Amino acid sequence: MINRPFPAHRPRRMRRDDFSRRMMQENTLSANDLILPVFVLEGQGTQEPIGSLPGVYRQSIDLLLDTADRAQSLGIPALALFPVTPLSAKSPNAEAAYDPDGLVQRTIRELKNTFPNLGIMTDVALDPYTTHGQDGLTDANGYVLNDETTEVLVKQALSHAAAGADIVAPSDMMDGRIGAIRQQLEAAGYIHTRIMAYSAKYASSFYGPFRDAVGSAGNLGKADKKTYQMDPANSDEALHEVAMDLSEGADMVMVKPGMPYLDIVRRVKTELKVPTFAYHVSGEYAMLRAAADNGWLDWRKCLLETMMGFRRAGADGVLTYAALDVAEYLAVGDVQ
């Protein structure tokens, strides 16, 4: 570090005017850095507000097309699909996850037919489809089985690719599932289907509103996911998980949650230098939104500051339920 003592160096000189602040800005934020998570449900003309996610809705496919149109017009490159599976379609073995005519598969086809240039990313995990709310198949004691779950995840990923998904995103945290999915995608000829691995997904308490949104909270009950999601105390382990997924064929990796784990984002980007994404998860969004709705924080300013924080930490992109708002602010030249 160069020693530049005062008064030869006055850092505030470069902060005095807008033009010089812009000249020295180290990180930028654009709509290209955003992925919009959306919730799709059965029906026609149906939209349901999510109480724990103010401003976010469950939408039937026809209304989701309007949201996709808005996202694309704002320059958001991709949507991430999450299904609201009817209770009648759930089962212990999650057969609905790989139904070629399932909700997600039909949604992918409609979106790609209408918006061929909009990226479609899908969640590969079983919790929306299981009666017990876990991300995988369980044994008689409720323990989530690794290899048996992976077999179903492969079927699910293949069904998404067949429907036209651009990115499959395994969020389950089973060991070895990236390699199994990549191998079968290649064998089936889906060589261009990208994998965004939820590589460092922590057993976090910030997921509550999401579980409400997809309807898995009631199924999960008081159970937890600590036998497969990561311990929030661990950092080195995250690097091993990321490296493992990359070696098995992941194209991109994700850290989840986001803001409490920005140190992990920085370590992954600095040490492995791969496309690195972060998920501004439902609990993070809900806290900020609730504080803003109560007049305690400025929604626009705090939201943009939050997104810039992800970028500064090294994230190449952010999944956020506020993507539409961020993109609209940026479209009119709004930055901090």
Side-chain angles (χ1 to χ4, degrees):
M1 187 72 70
I2 300 173
N3 182 24
R4 304 173 71 190
F6 177 88
H9 178 55
R10 290 179 179 266
R12 289 185 59 193
R13 266 197 294 263
M14 288 297 290
R15 301 176 195 147
R16 182 178 186 275
D17 298 301
D18 177 68
F19 82 88
S20 54
R21 289 194 296 271
R22 287 189 287 123
M23 286 173 61
M24 65 179 284
Q25 188 175 59
E26 297 175 28
N27 296 281
T28 59
L29 178 66
S30 79
N32 294 331
D33 306 318
L34 306 171
I35 298 174
L36 175 64
V38 293
F39 299 102
V40 61
L41 47 64
E42 296 284 6
Q44 185 80 13
T46 303
Q47 178 166 285
E48 298 175 354
I50 302 168
S52 54
L53 282 173
V56 181
Y57 299 87
R58 307 178 189 92
Q59 295 180 303
S60 54
I61 297 174
D62 56 319
L63 296 185
L64 181 59
L65 293 177
D66 294 334
T67 299
D69 185 38
R70 183 181 169 201
Q72 182 170 261
S73 69
L74 288 168
I76 295 172
L79 303 185
L81 294 183
F82 296 96
V84 182
T85 307
L87 185 59
S88 59
K90 296 185 180 187
S91 67
N93 295 320
E95 289 90 351
Y98 51 89
D99 181 351
D101 293 315
L103 177 58
V104 167
Q105 290 82 353
R106 284 182 281 118
T107 304
I108 296 167
R109 290 194 289 267
E110 288 287 342
L111 285 168
K112 293 307 293 185
N113 286 338
T114 310
F115 306 103
N117 297 319
L118 181 64
I120 303 301
M121 172 175 153
T122 60
D123 181 47
V124 177
L126 305 185
D127 50 323
Y129 307 96
T130 56
T131 48
H132 45 69
Q134 295 286 1
D135 291 36
L137 309 185
T138 60
D139 64 14
N141 297 315
Y143 182 75
V144 174
L145 300 167
N146 194 91
D147 297 358
E148 293 85 347
T149 294
T150 295
E151 292 179 9
V152 181
L153 296 174
V154 168
K155 294 179 183 179
Q156 184 182 24
L158 286 172
S159 75
H160 292 179
D166 300 292
I167 306 168
V168 292
S171 65
D172 54 284
M173 290 297 286
M174 297 300 112
D175 295 337
R177 89 281 202 209
I178 299 300
I181 290 170
R182 173 57 73 203
Q183 183 179 31
Q184 292 304 311
L185 287 173
E186 291 285 325
Y190 300 118
I191 63 172
H192 301 301
T193 304
R194 300 122 177 121
I195 297 178
M196 180 187 287
Y198 285 64
S199 298
K201 182 177 180 180
Y202 286 85
S204 172
S205 298
F206 284 92
Y207 302 148
F210 174 88
R211 291 171 182 167
D212 290 340
V214 298
S216 65
N219 299 106
L220 185 63
K222 294 183 178 180
D224 59 48
K225 303 186 178 185
K226 293 180 180 180
T227 65
Y228 49 99
Q229 294 178 356
M230 285 183 54
D231 185 336
N234 293 355
S235 176
D236 289 343
E237 183 186 13
L239 273 292
H240 294 303
E241 286 277 7
V242 171
M244 184 176 181
D245 286 351
L246 290 168
S247 72
E248 292 178 11
D251 302 288
M252 303 165 274
V253 297
M254 187 195 298
V255 175
K256 181 182 180 183
M259 291 188 71
Y261 299 88
L262 291 182
D263 60 314
I264 309 300
V265 174
R266 170 50 63 191
R267 286 197 65 185
V268 170
K269 190 62 180 178
T270 300
E271 298 182 33
L272 297 174
K273 297 179 173 60
V274 295
T276 304
F277 292 76
Y279 201 141
H280 184 226
V281 301
S282 59
E284 298 173 66
Y285 168 92
M287 289 191 301
L288 182 56
R289 182 74 266 180
D293 288 346
N294 277 284
W296 301 331
L297 293 175
D298 185 303
W299 170 248
R300 178 187 61 81
K301 291 180 179 179
C302 289
L303 182 58
L304 290 172
E305 183 178 343
T306 298
M307 294 300 110
M308 187 60 80
F310 282 113
R311 294 284 288 141
R312 191 182 64 251
D316 295 291
V318 183
L319 284 79
T320 175
Y321 302 98
L324 293 171
D325 282 1
V326 175
E328 286 187 341
Y329 299 146
L330 296 173
V332 295
D334 208 345
V335 291
Q336 272 312 96

